[in-house]
């Protein structure tokens, strides 16, 4: 009777003891030396794990900063304050980074552009742009307004107003999710301080662009000729601004016949107020 | 008395292990094929929960912090083995129909969860009531699931024919798909009630949540493009 | 029993998630993204193979000769927990890249009902060592199949559909699981 109790107790105790020994020994032998800086870095990083830095989450970025010498200024969500703190931890002086935001290069809303057909289908830009003609909008380069970018934004920064997407720059953290998600590649990462932007993505010829949209770029080159800083050029029927050279003088904004180029603070202030 | 009522209310409704905390879905879906099985599993889990809560609460000052989880598991495994043998001896039919899910009470997240969250921080009596509340909450959830599955899947309740004879039982309800379907309907109903009361039920940070958590932006679109479909 | 029959039974006919209801919590939790699902599936396969070998050996050489069948629950859970802990430490040291891929899921699996359940089933079905290995790997591959399918469906569901408010989150996932379980019922006729 007693043996019936003692034997199982003994066997189980021995099993437990052996396992504990193995675990204890291996915990010591397989100890991974963790760089203490990693914990400090994790503390200052935002912890959103958005991947905008190009690494698989904040811990991965911290590990790479501490061990592999990754650039210190890659955190888009944290921005310059976090970059400075990272610099403090690693003992390196960090020069401030230009804050970037995402911008939808299209002003062709329902009032300004037409539809080729009535679209009743999946509320998804990726699916709609696979259709013939690239979606219901007559301009095949334009924003479809079906909201794929809204869905991927973790920060609630995008809304659809009047059929196009508008990004609230106060909330945008430049994580890049919308840029990757947009099938038209119509969202661009711009410096937040560059107020003058071309709100068009269309490479259509002048005649097609005029037919499709009231505010589409017709490549008339008036902007290029007016600009004194060589900051705007028309290629392939579309004007593009070099934000490094642009001085925000607004000359191109005033001369553009189709009101395609906008200074997001001035001319479209009414629209900005709606989204704030 | 007040503590008892509070713990019971917590376990049965406020923090119901299955419907609110979404724990222990495995045994819940597997054994709710009939009300008898549901009661059997529920009561045996409750017994294990109460006993382990009491013992762990008694030992909480002696178990070192680093090895607390393995110790809890060993305690719970001990009680589960005991219940397993008791059921094999005294309720053989139930033992056969519950099958492998009795030993699996060991890895029932509710039991380990309550040990970690409550029993190692509170006194013996409080832990006992907490275990009882949670266990009965789990039993209640199992009974609800079992009710629908047995009624629609076999036309009976507790083995007594309830549905009229022209009703052909939907066998699928007793099988795997029926389990998932019943649980999803119940959870959708609970979400609906929560939404009606005004709180947002879809927590975007919940690991099991899949949908979007903010207002449908398409409403904005349709107001401005003429015909909403 | 024929080895191939064991494998097909474990993977398809009695699929560990959709038929035996083991491992549901992690199935619902980790299936939001396909990459995570693949990592989880591989980790489960790895753990299950090891855990069932370990528990079979303990049962055959320690418990059965001494008539201690009733201790199998306790013994198995000890072995599984210790083994997973050991493997996690080993992988963390030996191969950090492998750890990145599947190491984070390892603690999640140690208290997974699937691992303990399959270990117990191996004993119940009285399989040989090779038989239980095949059974476990088959079951793990069944889990892998189910979770990757679920993740692919959920990714699409997330982006494209207008799900009613009360169904968003867990309910629609469970409805998806219902449909998957129904389709897996079709495998019942595979084995006579």
């Amino acid at each position: 009777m007693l043996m019936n109790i003692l034997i199982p107790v003994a066997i189980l105790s021995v099993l437990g003891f052996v396992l504990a020994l193995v675990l204890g020994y291996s915990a010591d032998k397989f100890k991974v030396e963790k760089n203490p800086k990693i914990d400090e870095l994790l503390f200052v990083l935002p912890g959103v794990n958005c991947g905008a830095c190009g690494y698989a989450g904040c811990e991965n970025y911290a590990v790479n900063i501490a061990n592999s010498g990754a650039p210190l200024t890659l955190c888009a969500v944290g921005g310059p304050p976090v970059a400075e703190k990272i610099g403090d931890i690693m003992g390196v002086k960090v020069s401030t980074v230009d804050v970037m935001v995402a911008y939808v290069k299209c002003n062709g809303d329902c009032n300004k552009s037409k539809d080729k057909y009535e679209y009743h289908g999946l509320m998804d830009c990726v699916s709609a742009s696979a259709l013939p003609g690239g979606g219901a909008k007559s301009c095949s380069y334009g924003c479809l307004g079906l909201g794929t970018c809204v869905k991927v934004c973790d920060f609630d920064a995008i809304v659809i107003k009047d059929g196009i997407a508008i990004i609230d720059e106060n909330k945008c953290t430049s994580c890049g999710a919308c840029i990757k998600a947009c099938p038209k590649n119509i969202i661009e990462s711009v410096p937040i301080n560059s107020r003058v932007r071309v709100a068009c993505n269309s490479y259509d010829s002048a005649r097609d662009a005029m037919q499709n949209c009231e505010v589409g770029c017709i490549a008339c080159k008036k902007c290029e000729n007016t600009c004194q800083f060589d900051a705007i050029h028309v290629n392939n029927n579309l004007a593009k601004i070099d934000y490094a050279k642009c001085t925000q003088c607004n000359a191109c904004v005033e001369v553009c016949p189709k009101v395609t180029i906008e200074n997001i603070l001035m001319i479209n202030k009414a629209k900005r107020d709606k989204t704030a | 008395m007040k503590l008892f009522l509070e713990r019971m209310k917590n376990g049965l409704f406020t923090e119901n292990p299955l419907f609110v905390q979404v724990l222990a879905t495995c045994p819940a879906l597997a054994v709710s094929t009939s009300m008898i099985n549901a009661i059997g599993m529920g009561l045996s889990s409750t017994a294990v929960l109460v006993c382990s809560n009491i013992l762990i609460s008694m030992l909480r000052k002696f178990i070192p912090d680093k090895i607390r989880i393995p110790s809890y598991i060993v305690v719970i495994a001990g009680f589960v083995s005991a219940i397993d043998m008791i059921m094999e001896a005294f309720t053989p039919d139930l033992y056969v129909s519950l099958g492998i899910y009795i030993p699996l009470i060991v890895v029932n997240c509710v039991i380990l969860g309550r040990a970690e969250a409550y029993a190692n921080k509170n006194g013996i009596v409080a832990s006992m009531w907490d275990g009882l509340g949670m266990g009965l909450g789990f039993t209640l959830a199992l009974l609800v699931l079992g009710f629908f599955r047995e009624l629609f899947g076999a036309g009976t309740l507790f083995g007594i024919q309830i549905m009229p004879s022209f009703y052909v039982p939907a066998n699928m309800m007793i099988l795997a798909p029926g389990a998932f379907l019943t649980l999803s309907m119940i959870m959708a109903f609970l979400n609906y009630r929560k939404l009606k009361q005004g709180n947002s039920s879809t927590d975007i940070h919940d690991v099991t949540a899949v949908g979007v958590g903010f207002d449908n932006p398409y409403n904005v679109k349709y107001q401005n493009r003429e015909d909403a479909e | 029993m024929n080895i191939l029959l064991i494998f097909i039974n474990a993977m398809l006919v009695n699929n560990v998630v959709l038929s035996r209801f083991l491992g549901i919590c992690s199935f619902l939790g980790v299936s939001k993204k396909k990459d995570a699902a693949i990592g989880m599936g591989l980790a489960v396969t790895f753990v299950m193979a090891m855990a069932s070998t370990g528990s079979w050996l303990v049962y055959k050489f320690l418990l059965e000769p001494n008539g201690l069948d009733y201790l199998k629950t306790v013994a198995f859970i000890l072995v599984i927990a210790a083994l997973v802990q050991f493997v996690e430490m080993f992988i963390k040291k030996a191969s950090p890249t492998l750890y990145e891929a599947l190491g984070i899921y390892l603690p999640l699996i140690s208290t997974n009902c699937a691992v303990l359940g399959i270990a117990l089933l191996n004993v119940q079905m009285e399989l040989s060592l090779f038989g239980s290995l095949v059974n476990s790997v088959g079951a793990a591959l069944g889990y892998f199949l189910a979770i990757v399918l679920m993740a692919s469906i959920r990714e699409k569901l997330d982006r494209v559909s207008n799900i009613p408010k009360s169904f968003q989150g867990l309910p629609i996932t469970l409805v998806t699981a219902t449909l998957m379980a129904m389709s897996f019922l079709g495998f019942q006729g595979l084995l006579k």
Side-chain angles (χ1 to χ4, degrees):
Chain A
M1 182 65 206
L2 196 59
M3 292 313 277
N4 264 349
I5 299 182
L6 281 186
I7 292 188
V9 168
I11 289 187
L12 220 47
S13 312
V14 167
L15 184 66
F17 193 63
V18 167
L19 289 173
L21 272 182
V22 169
L23 278 180
Y25 175 69
S26 46
D28 210 41
K29 182 144 195 269
F30 292 125
K31 207 168 168 157
V32 175
E33 288 308 326
K34 202 175 172 196
N35 193 330
K37 288 211 155 72
I38 296 182
D39 283 323
E40 290 178 50
L41 286 167
L42 269 176
F43 190 65
V44 298
L45 286 172
V48 183
N49 288 325
C50 65
C53 53
Y55 293 97
C58 298
E59 171 146 21
N60 199 262
Y61 183 41
V63 168
N64 276 292
I65 293 180
N67 297 338
S68 320
L72 306 181
T73 54
L74 293 177
C75 181
V77 174
V82 167
E84 274 181 44
K85 287 193 205 143
I86 295 178
D88 289 337
I89 295 175
M90 298 305 293
V92 171
K93 181 105 177 51
V94 166
S95 57
T96 47
V97 181
D98 213 0
V99 175
M100 308 287 275
V101 287
Y103 173 67
V104 177
K105 290 184 299 193
C106 186
N107 269 341
D109 56 28
C110 328
N111 307 319
K112 307 225 181 62
S113 75
K114 295 186 295 233
D115 278 344
K116 289 196 280 269
Y117 46 81
E118 244 183 60
Y119 176 73
H120 296 266
L122 292 173
M123 288 295 125
D124 176 45
C125 305
V126 175
S127 315
S129 66
L131 293 172
K137 204 167 206 153
S138 50
C139 171
S140 61
Y141 300 94
C143 171
L144 293 172
L146 293 172
T148 299
C149 50
V150 181
K151 271 197 158 145
V152 299
C153 180
D154 282 328
F155 303 97
D156 236 356
I158 314 184
V159 287
I160 307 282
K161 289 267 185 210
D162 290 338
I164 53 168
I166 297 183
I167 297 180
D168 181 351
E169 300 190 0
N170 296 321
K171 291 188 187 163
C172 175
T173 62
S174 194
C175 72
C178 57
I179 300 179
K180 274 182 263 194
C182 177
K184 301 278 181 193
N185 293 318
I186 207 173
I187 308 184
E188 192 184 24
S189 181
V190 303
I192 197 173
N193 294 315
S194 298
R195 309 287 190 200
V196 176
R197 305 171 189 168
V198 177
C200 183
N201 192 35
S202 164
Y203 296 99
D204 280 335
S205 68
R207 216 187 59 200
D208 289 336
M210 267 199 282
Q211 263 188 331
N212 292 332
C213 180
E214 282 174 25
V215 288
C217 175
I218 51 171
C220 65
K221 296 211 182 184
K222 275 197 176 158
C223 50
E224 191 172 345
N225 295 333
T226 313
C227 183
Q228 293 173 327
F229 304 97
D230 197 30
I232 186 166
H233 299 278
V234 176
N235 286 317
N236 287 335
N237 296 317
L238 181 62
K240 284 216 172 118
I241 295 181
D242 181 353
Y243 298 110
K245 293 187 183 159
C246 176
T247 61
Q248 328 282 335
C249 70
N250 288 324
C252 54
V253 176
E254 279 154 25
V255 84
C256 176
K258 304 295 282 179
V259 197
T260 307
I261 313 181
E262 58 174 4
N263 181 320
I264 59 161
L265 278 190
M266 287 171 44
I267 293 181
N268 290 297
K269 191 164 184 301
K271 187 163 74 164
R272 295 301 136 187
D273 284 341
K274 264 200 275 177
T275 64
Chain B
M1 191 61 195
K2 199 157 168 250
L3 177 68
F4 170 70
L5 285 176
E6 190 260 331
R7 286 284 102 204
M8 294 301 278
K9 179 165 176 281
N10 189 47
L12 280 167
F13 304 113
T14 330
E15 278 189 357
N16 185 294
L18 183 63
F19 292 142
V20 176
Q21 298 183 57
V22 197
L23 293 174
T25 42
C26 305
L29 292 171
V31 308
S32 50
T33 49
S34 72
M35 305 265 295
I36 300 247
N37 288 351
I39 286 193
M41 173 56 100
L43 291 179
S44 42
S45 303
T46 308
V48 174
L49 190 48
V50 170
C51 296
S52 66
N53 260 15
I54 293 176
L55 189 60
I56 288 175
S57 180
M58 277 199 268
L59 293 175
R60 75 182 184 279
K61 300 227 166 71
F62 305 109
I63 301 179
D65 190 60
K66 281 216 148 180
I67 55 162
R68 65 181 196 288
I69 301 274
S71 335
Y72 297 162
I73 294 188
V74 170
V75 168
I76 297 170
F79 281 118
V80 168
S81 298
I83 292 269
D84 187 42
M85 288 188 270
I86 292 176
M87 286 180 82
E88 187 175 7
F90 292 107
T91 55
D93 296 328
L94 195 59
Y95 179 78
V96 167
S97 58
L98 288 182
I100 190 185
Y101 293 99
I102 303 176
L104 286 181
I105 298 178
V106 176
V107 286
N108 189 329
C109 327
V110 181
I111 305 183
L112 192 62
R114 286 334 275 176
E116 172 75 13
Y118 202 84
N120 77 341
K121 297 182 188 123
N122 294 288
I124 300 180
V125 178
S127 304
M128 180 166 70
W129 295 141
D130 180 68
L132 192 62
M134 283 286 158
L136 288 179
F138 184 58
T139 313
L140 179 69
L142 282 178
L143 279 174
V144 171
L145 273 178
F147 174 79
F148 287 111
R149 284 182 78 187
E150 194 182 357
L151 190 62
F152 294 122
T156 63
L157 276 182
F158 287 108
I160 310 169
Q161 189 72 22
I162 302 275
M163 291 296 234
S165 49
F166 62 78
Y167 177 75
V168 179
N171 247 331
M172 197 200 75
M173 291 300 278
I174 305 255
L175 296 173
F180 289 117
L181 191 65
T182 319
L183 187 61
S184 87
M185 290 295 160
I186 295 177
M187 303 230 48
F189 174 67
L190 290 174
N191 276 354
Y192 176 70
R193 276 195 50 214
K194 256 196 278 188
L195 282 174
K196 272 231 141 146
Q197 286 170 0
N199 337 339
S200 170
S201 71
T202 49
D203 182 351
I204 358 182
H205 303 295
D206 181 351
V207 274
T208 56
V210 73
V212 291
F214 47 86
D215 272 336
N216 189 336
Y218 312 126
N219 288 333
V220 179
K221 179 185 173 216
Y222 282 125
Q223 277 162 21
N224 289 289
R225 285 204 197 253
E226 24 292 342
D227 33 44
E229 19 274 39
Chain C
M1 237 208 303
N2 193 346
I3 287 289
L4 185 62
L5 276 174
I6 300 179
F7 184 74
I8 298 216
N9 184 47
M11 181 164 171
L12 296 173
V13 179
N14 271 327
N15 183 285
V16 65
V17 172
L18 298 170
S19 183
R20 289 203 208 265
F21 297 111
L22 300 174
I24 302 254
C25 307
S26 50
F27 174 68
L28 294 174
V30 186
S31 59
K32 265 191 89 174
K33 292 218 139 57
K34 201 154 59 153
D35 298 324
I38 294 181
M40 181 71 174
L42 291 174
V44 168
T45 312
F46 187 45
V47 172
M48 257 208 219
M50 272 186 338
S52 51
T53 317
S55 20
W56 191 92
L57 290 171
V58 165
Y59 185 76
K60 202 70 185 177
F61 296 116
L62 210 56
L63 297 178
E64 204 181 4
N66 295 305
L68 295 175
D69 181 74
Y70 59 91
L71 279 185
K72 62 179 186 288
T73 312
V74 185
F76 285 2
I77 196 93
L78 277 179
V79 169
I80 292 173
L83 208 54
V84 172
Q85 183 80 347
F86 176 75
V87 167
E88 189 192 345
M89 276 192 266
F90 185 72
I91 292 186
K92 204 166 182 180
K93 179 83 174 190
S95 169
T97 32
L98 193 62
Y99 185 72
E100 300 275 319
L102 58 84
I104 38 183
Y105 303 114
L106 287 177
L108 205 62
I109 306 174
S110 55
T111 49
N112 194 342
C113 4
V115 181
L116 184 61
I118 295 291
L120 289 169
L121 275 173
N122 286 338
V123 165
Q124 199 180 66
M125 295 202 282
E126 292 176 10
L127 296 170
S128 67
L129 180 59
F130 187 58
S132 29
L133 195 61
V134 167
N135 189 28
S136 316
V137 172
L141 288 179
Y143 179 86
F144 182 71
L145 182 67
I147 201 175
V148 170
L149 283 175
M150 177 60 102
S152 319
I153 296 177
R154 268 178 97 166
E155 276 190 346
K156 272 240 168 102
L157 211 60
D158 202 3
R159 218 186 51 181
V160 166
S161 313
N162 258 336
I163 307 173
K165 265 259 177 75
S166 5
F167 270 87
Q168 281 175 12
L170 198 54
I172 197 74
T173 314
L174 286 169
V175 171
T176 314
T178 310
L179 295 168
M180 282 174 72
M182 273 204 280
S183 63
F184 267 73
L185 271 181
F187 287 119
Q188 294 284 348
L190 257 185
L191 300 179
K192 211 156 30 106

